[in-house]
Amino acid sequence: MPRLPLPVAASKAPPQICFLVLLALGLSWTGAAEPANPVGSDWPGLTVHAEPKALSPDAVVEPWPRFLGPHDNGVSRETRILTNWPESGPPKVWEVRKGSGYTSPSIAGGVLVLFHRAGDHEQADGLHPETGRRFWSHRYPVEYRDRYGYNDGPRASPVIDGDRVYLLGVASALHCLDLATGRVLWKRDLQAEYRVPQNFFGAGPSPLVWKDLLILNLGGKTTRGEDLCVAALDKHTGDFVWGVPGPWGASYASPVAVPLRGKERILVFAGGESRPPDGGLLCIDPADGAVDFRFPWRSDKYESVNASTPVAAGSNRVFISECYSRGGVLLEIGEDGQPQPLWTARDFGMHWSTPLLVDGRLYGYQGRNEPDAFLACLDAATGKELWRDSLEWDVKVKDPRGRERTFRWGMFRGSLLQVDQAFLALGELGTLALLDLKPEGVAVRSRVDLFHARETWSLPALHRGLLYVAQHSPDLLDDTPPRLICYDLRAD
């Protein structure tokens, strides 16, 4: 049976209030209470390397409350980011050993939430973002085993909203915790209640917070046995509010809220395990769950997934993609609310990452597997490919016996984060690069191998000039176990 690299889900939330005004007033953007222990405690596996630089007084900073950041598009508005790296790369601040899982941390309200699996339990840890010291920990048992032999930990990253954090485990256990203390406020066993299947890799899409609703690409069934593709719960209580019927099931792409033709809509790129495979884009009115349209877009291969988050391209256009056979498509939403494809691009299909839209250009990592991956730039208006680059190089390393070996290395299927007029790229084998991306081509400004580990499939998180990178598998050279590592990107 072919191996399917696990996609990573992204989490979405409604537009944020002006955090800069709140910071100027000395308030937390989330309104969350300070942790009961404002310093935190050392905990097993934590290694502190150095204190970070002082944050520049004129630096713009933002929280990172969900997978793709505060704007749900892989873009940070932080400034004063270090772009002149030493040869060894950005300095480490701290690191902590973690369990299995493919999540990224979320940071807001003075708390970093790390969600992973430790033994036979899924575990959330509330950490001090600058020191890695722990405020609280919450764990619960889980029995999931990945049938393809991949990671057994959670796929969906934490979602912080105000003074709460929402966790969706790999076996569809949903928890709402108090951000300051880790106390359980409510929980739901979605697998038991809605007969949610394991699908290829367990539950993956992170919830979306929209006003008072928590919206999930559920992929289960009602008590009457009817297919239930999307569900909206009361975010305060977990009670069911509305549902969207349909057989498309849960994908590995998280819902996102976007304005389309002046109306706020929820986009769900759905599609679970089915024979024949089906799925596509749902456009939903979040007020009542009414569906504006369903646009089928799914590979005809049984072992395939929809995993890349939809990208809003202006007020009436949406880009979606998959990497197994169909590639990408740009949809224009007409005055009647219905989609029409403007162009398709078979060779611009994202696997688990989400492309960036910058100045009318789409930048993203195409490819289903390492050998066929490359970074490409498309004109968003026409779909014309402007360039592609594999970004490969030779690397010399010493094995555990001290022998020097040469490997062909590269970014392969990477993740992109735009910040401070530059682009951070994290390759799936642990390479971090600072890129200049332009319609004319790509230039590498800095590059360093943070580690040599497969399955580096999570977008880094950036908060107050610190970058958080998750290593999900042991290092290929020295067998260093999975870690979350904090790097100092603060410029003087």
Side-chain angles (χ1 to χ4, degrees):
M1 188 173 289
R3 289 170 64 84
L4 287 158
L6 178 84
V8 177
S11 54
K12 307 297 166 210
Q16 301 300 317
I17 59 177
C18 182
F19 68 93
L20 291 176
V21 174
L22 295 181
L23 288 175
L25 295 174
L27 301 175
S28 165
W29 81 277
T30 62
E34 287 298 316
N37 179 356
V39 177
S41 304
D42 291 335
W43 58 300
L46 173 64
T47 300
V48 177
H49 295 282
E51 291 187 6
K53 293 179 182 178
L55 189 67
S56 173
D58 60 349
V60 174
V61 298
E62 291 190 297
W64 192 273
R66 47 199 181 273
F67 178 72
L68 283 179
H71 312 292
D72 302 315
N73 57 2
V75 176
S76 171
R77 295 176 184 167
E78 294 212 1
T79 62
R80 303 305 297 267
I81 297 299
L82 183 69
T83 57
N84 185 21
W85 299 352
E87 185 176 348
S88 59
K92 288 182 183 179
V93 179
W94 57 264
E95 64 181 88
V96 67
R97 292 189 181 185
K98 74 178 189 70
S100 60
Y102 293 109
T103 68
S104 291
S106 297
I107 313 110
V111 181
L112 179 151
V113 181
L114 170 63
F115 187 35
H116 55 124
R117 177 169 176 168
D120 291 331
H121 289 74
E122 286 185 320
Q123 178 171 319
D125 295 295
L127 309 181
H128 189 286
E130 294 199 5
T131 65
R133 303 186 79 189
R134 187 161 66 180
F135 300 130
W136 53 261
S137 184
H138 173 72
R139 63 203 308 260
Y140 57 88
V142 62
E143 297 181 353
Y144 172 86
R145 292 294 181 271
D146 190 89
R147 74 191 206 213
Y148 287 87
Y150 281 90
N151 205 304
D152 290 332
R155 276 69 170 141
S157 297
V159 178
I160 298 176
D161 177 65
D163 58 2
R164 300 183 176 205
V165 56
Y166 299 92
L167 309 169
L168 179 64
V170 70
S172 298
L174 178 64
H175 287 75
C176 174
L177 307 182
D178 179 79
L179 180 62
T181 65
R183 180 172 60 91
V184 177
L185 301 178
W186 57 262
K187 61 182 179 179
R188 300 282 300 267
D189 185 346
L190 302 178
Q191 187 177 69
E193 294 179 47
Y194 294 100
R195 290 184 281 171
V196 177
Q198 177 170 319
N199 287 323
F200 292 116
F201 307 108
S206 296
L208 160 68
V209 177
W210 184 85
K211 295 185 178 180
D212 288 331
L213 297 179
L214 191 69
I215 300 172
L216 305 112
N217 183 195
L218 185 69
K221 292 184 180 295
T222 68
T223 55
R224 295 179 295 184
E226 300 166 336
D227 291 324
L228 185 62
C229 180
V230 181
L233 309 181
D234 186 310
K235 74 175 185 180
H236 303 289
T237 64
D239 294 338
F240 183 87
V241 178
W242 54 252
V244 175
W248 279 357
S251 71
Y252 293 88
S254 296
V256 56
V258 301
L260 287 178
R261 290 205 166 271
K263 299 178 181 178
E264 189 152 20
R265 289 295 184 260
I266 306 299
L267 299 179
V268 178
F269 192 32
E273 182 180 0
S274 60
R275 291 184 185 271
D278 56 13
L281 184 66
L282 291 164
C283 181
I284 304 168
D285 184 342
D288 56 10
V291 176
D292 290 344
F293 66 79
R294 303 170 189 260
F295 181 81
W297 196 257
R298 176 75 183 274
S299 170
D300 58 4
K301 301 178 185 298
Y302 164 65
E303 290 178 310
S304 65
V305 294
N306 287 342
S308 181
T309 299
V311 175
S315 62
N316 65 337
R317 294 182 177 180
V318 178
F319 176 77
I320 55 175
S321 67
E322 64 81 44
C323 69
Y324 291 83
S325 63
R326 306 196 70 174
V329 58
L330 185 74
L331 303 175
E332 183 171 70
I333 314 305
E335 294 183 2
D336 60 356
Q338 298 304 301
Q340 292 294 332
L342 291 183
W343 52 260
T344 61
R346 171 63 188 88
D347 289 335
F348 197 67
M350 311 297 107
H351 198 169
W352 37 261
S353 62
T354 298
L356 294 177
L357 177 66
V358 181
D359 297 330
R361 308 291 191 271
L362 283 164
Y363 300 92
Y365 281 95
Q366 142 76 29
R368 176 182 173 185
N369 301 297
E370 291 175 14
D372 59 15
F374 55 82
L375 178 63
C377 171
L378 266 62
D379 186 313
T382 65
K384 178 183 177 181
E385 183 179 296
L386 302 180
W387 54 261
R388 67 170 66 181
D389 197 315
S390 61
L391 291 178
E392 295 183 5
W393 60 94
D394 289 332
V395 59
K396 293 183 178 181
V397 297
K398 290 185 177 180
D399 65 18
R401 296 183 180 181
R403 297 171 299 185
E404 189 173 83
R405 303 179 65 184
T406 300
F407 293 92
R408 190 64 177 168
W409 213 249
M411 306 298 288
F412 303 109
R413 297 164 301 173
S415 301
L416 288 174
L417 191 163
Q418 183 185 17
V419 57
D420 204 11
Q421 307 302 312
F423 299 85
L424 292 172
L426 180 64
E428 65 175 311
L429 299 180
T431 299
L432 182 69
L434 186 69
L435 306 179
D436 282 331
L437 297 179
K438 298 179 180 179
E440 297 77 28
V442 54
V444 179
R445 296 169 61 178
S446 298
R447 186 185 68 213
V448 62
D449 291 335
L450 304 178
F451 42 80
H452 303 89
R454 294 189 180 276
E455 303 174 13
T456 305
W457 295 334
S458 299
L459 184 71
L462 181 69
H463 175 59
R464 292 178 58 82
L466 303 180
L467 187 74
Y468 303 86
V469 178
Q471 174 191 331
H472 296 313
S473 64
D475 193 291
L476 295 167
L477 300 182
D478 59 18
D479 209 35
T480 301
R483 302 171 286 171
L484 177 68
I485 312 169
C486 173
Y487 294 91
D488 190 354
L489 283 185
R490 293 175 176 174
D492 295 328

